[in-house]
Amino acid sequence: MVPSTKERPLPCWDRIGAKAPSPISALLCLTLLEWTCRPGSQVTPGPGLACLPGNTGLGMCFSFQSSITVLGFYFSRHRALANALASVGVSLGITLWPLLSRYLLENLGWRGTFLIFGGVLLHCCVCGAILRPVATSTAPETKEGPPPPSKTSAPGCLAACGAAIQRHLAFDILRHNAGYRVFTLGVMWMILGFPLPHVFLVPYATRHGVDEHKAALLISIIGFSNIFLRPVAGLLAGRRDFAGHRKYLFSLAALLNGLTNLVCAASADFRVLVVYCLVYSVSMSGIGALLFQVLMDIVPMDRFSSALGLFTILESISILTSPPLAGLLLDTTNNFSYVFYMSSFFLISAALFMGGSFCVLQKKERQGRPAEAEGAVTEVASERGLTVEDPRGSEKQLYTEITYVTSV
């Protein structure tokens, strides 16, 4: 796996680099965690604990954004496998989180649990420090004198802010790149249903008589299966045969994920739920391994960090909206099956939308290629028709053809 040095990152990467955001993120995560875990600190259940996930989420945002972006610049040939291996850590966390959090809460309380998790997050400083800086192919800047004063008036603050937001949040890519627009809207719609099984699977199982420890084990089964399935999905997606069809594989994984939730809504028996978790892990591994790889295929790498920023902002809006909507549906119907039906609806409709839209865009692209080739051939033919052979040599020279109109 050879790091790619052809692409040029954004100017902010030239100044900041890839090492700075990860230690900053770990310190942000640890600051409020350590403050809330002091024995003498008084934290109210409302505002105090509300600041805790906000501060932790800000730190995780720095770490996640920088790691995904620098991973895209590191690898050019085996990018799909690299993304899959990087996402294995998420699967490991899903495996250990339910069991470890329950054990820590029962023995240490919530303050001790937060202190342990803060220590784990502090290791992001070490991971960020060993990241290799991204190589750039830019020429050294030449020192020039101050630019001459412009006669035109300088743009206002509002216009400058608008231009900066449009540049760094990739609104221009959202407007002009149809593939990025389809993928972003499809993932936003898909995320409205994708996290619901992780939130409601354990309460759904306990509601139907499954023991709490067995119910927590269901989430661990999903995470443990993803540890092995995500690298396999990355290997398959990295093959040359599937290089141009990764977006269709992602749509197929979302479709399978939605259909799997229908099985979970049909029965709440523990053995059925175990089979559901295994099948669900297959589709979840495909989504996790291909999510950012498809984005790298659609967007040029020199604008990937900006496109990823806008993509994650819109995705976070869906993540923030999905659980309250499902909770409102559950309070209205008092039936967990409708929550899984809701999840299936969003996933299946998003998969059909993305698959159909990508097919239409690919068909238009294929129809546009013959037209461009025909225009190029016509231009070459007209150029050949205007050449005459020089009598003094074998070289051909262009001449200007003038047509006179003598009558109408």
Side-chain angles (χ1 to χ4, degrees):
M1 300 181 184
V2 183
S4 174
T5 58
K6 295 182 180 179
E7 297 87 4
R8 186 197 185 284
L10 287 176
C12 61
W13 282 91
D14 297 338
R15 296 191 297 266
I16 299 176
K19 290 188 176 184
S22 293
I24 292 173
S25 69
L27 293 175
L28 283 173
C29 292
L30 185 66
T31 301
L32 198 58
L33 285 173
E34 191 271 338
W35 176 71
T36 54
C37 294
R38 291 179 182 175
S41 62
Q42 298 293 328
V43 181
T44 58
L49 291 180
C51 294
L52 175 61
N55 195 63
T56 307
L58 182 62
M60 295 302 294
C61 173
F62 277 106
S63 178
F64 174 80
Q65 187 87 0
S66 60
S67 60
I68 293 295
T69 305
V70 78
L71 186 67
F73 285 110
Y74 277 170
F75 299 92
S76 58
R77 292 181 54 193
H78 303 284
R79 221 173 252 163
L81 180 59
N83 279 289
L85 291 176
S87 63
V88 168
V90 179
S91 306
L92 185 61
I94 294 174
T95 304
L96 299 178
W97 176 269
L99 306 177
L100 182 61
S101 60
R102 177 174 290 275
Y103 173 79
L104 293 176
L105 285 172
E106 291 177 354
N107 293 274
L108 300 178
W110 68 271
R111 290 181 183 271
T113 302
F114 279 149
L115 187 61
I116 295 296
F117 288 158
V120 173
L121 292 174
L122 188 60
H123 286 77
C124 293
C125 289
V126 181
C127 297
I130 63 177
L131 288 176
R132 184 168 57 180
V134 178
T136 59
S137 59
T138 58
E141 297 182 359
T142 58
K143 295 184 178 179
E144 298 179 356
S150 177
K151 297 181 179 180
T152 61
S153 60
C157 180
L158 186 61
C161 292
I165 291 174
Q166 182 176 357
R167 178 186 178 188
H168 293 291
L169 286 184
F171 283 108
D172 54 341
I173 301 179
L174 187 65
R175 269 200 330 267
H176 300 106
N177 192 332
Y180 177 70
R181 186 164 57 247
V182 167
F183 186 66
T184 303
L185 294 177
V187 171
M188 279 187 65
W189 189 257
M190 182 195 74
I191 292 298
L192 289 174
F194 181 70
L196 296 182
H198 300 271
V199 179
F200 292 96
L201 180 60
V202 175
Y204 172 68
T206 54
R207 169 78 68 88
H208 291 81
V210 180
D211 184 65
E212 291 185 0
H213 294 279
K214 288 186 176 180
L217 188 62
L218 295 174
I219 302 296
S220 299
I221 291 174
I222 295 176
F224 184 76
S225 303
N226 272 261
I227 293 176
F228 304 99
L229 291 175
R230 291 202 182 197
V232 175
L235 284 174
L236 292 177
R239 294 178 58 88
R240 294 182 179 180
D241 302 336
F242 299 108
H245 306 283
R246 294 191 186 107
K247 47 183 176 288
Y248 301 110
L249 293 176
F250 180 82
S251 302
L252 182 61
L255 179 63
L256 179 61
N257 195 278
L259 294 175
T260 307
N261 291 331
L262 297 177
V263 177
C264 182
S267 175
D269 184 69
F270 180 72
R271 290 171 294 183
V272 176
L273 292 179
V274 170
V275 176
Y276 158 76
C277 291
L278 294 175
V279 180
Y280 179 85
S281 301
V282 176
S283 57
M284 181 183 172
S285 62
I287 293 175
L290 293 173
L291 179 63
F292 299 107
Q293 177 59 45
V294 174
L295 186 62
M296 292 177 186
D297 293 340
I298 294 175
V299 179
M301 283 305 301
D302 58 344
R303 299 298 310 278
F304 175 73
S305 57
S306 301
L308 178 63
L310 180 60
F311 178 80
T312 50
I313 288 175
L314 298 177
E315 182 184 2
S316 301
I317 294 174
S318 299
I319 295 175
L320 184 65
T321 309
S322 175
L325 286 178
L328 179 63
L329 179 63
L330 181 61
D331 292 338
T332 305
T333 61
N334 199 22
N335 190 348
F336 277 93
S337 299
Y338 289 103
V339 175
F340 291 96
Y341 290 144
M342 172 184 170
S343 176
S344 298
F345 166 73
F346 284 118
L347 285 161
I348 293 173
S349 57
L352 295 177
F353 166 73
M354 288 187 291
S357 300
F358 284 136
C359 286
V360 172
L361 292 176
Q362 188 174 9
K363 186 177 180 181
K364 288 183 178 180
E365 185 180 356
R366 288 177 180 177
Q367 291 177 352
R369 287 176 183 174
E372 293 177 359
E374 184 178 354
V377 171
T378 305
E379 184 179 353
V380 172
S382 62
E383 191 173 305
R384 288 179 179 176
L386 293 176
T387 58
V388 334
E389 186 174 356
D390 189 1
R392 293 173 295 178
S394 59
E395 296 181 357
K396 293 186 178 182
Q397 297 179 352
L398 289 173
Y399 73 94
T400 305
E401 183 179 15
I402 304 176
T403 305
Y404 297 94
V405 179
T406 57
S407 62
V408 179

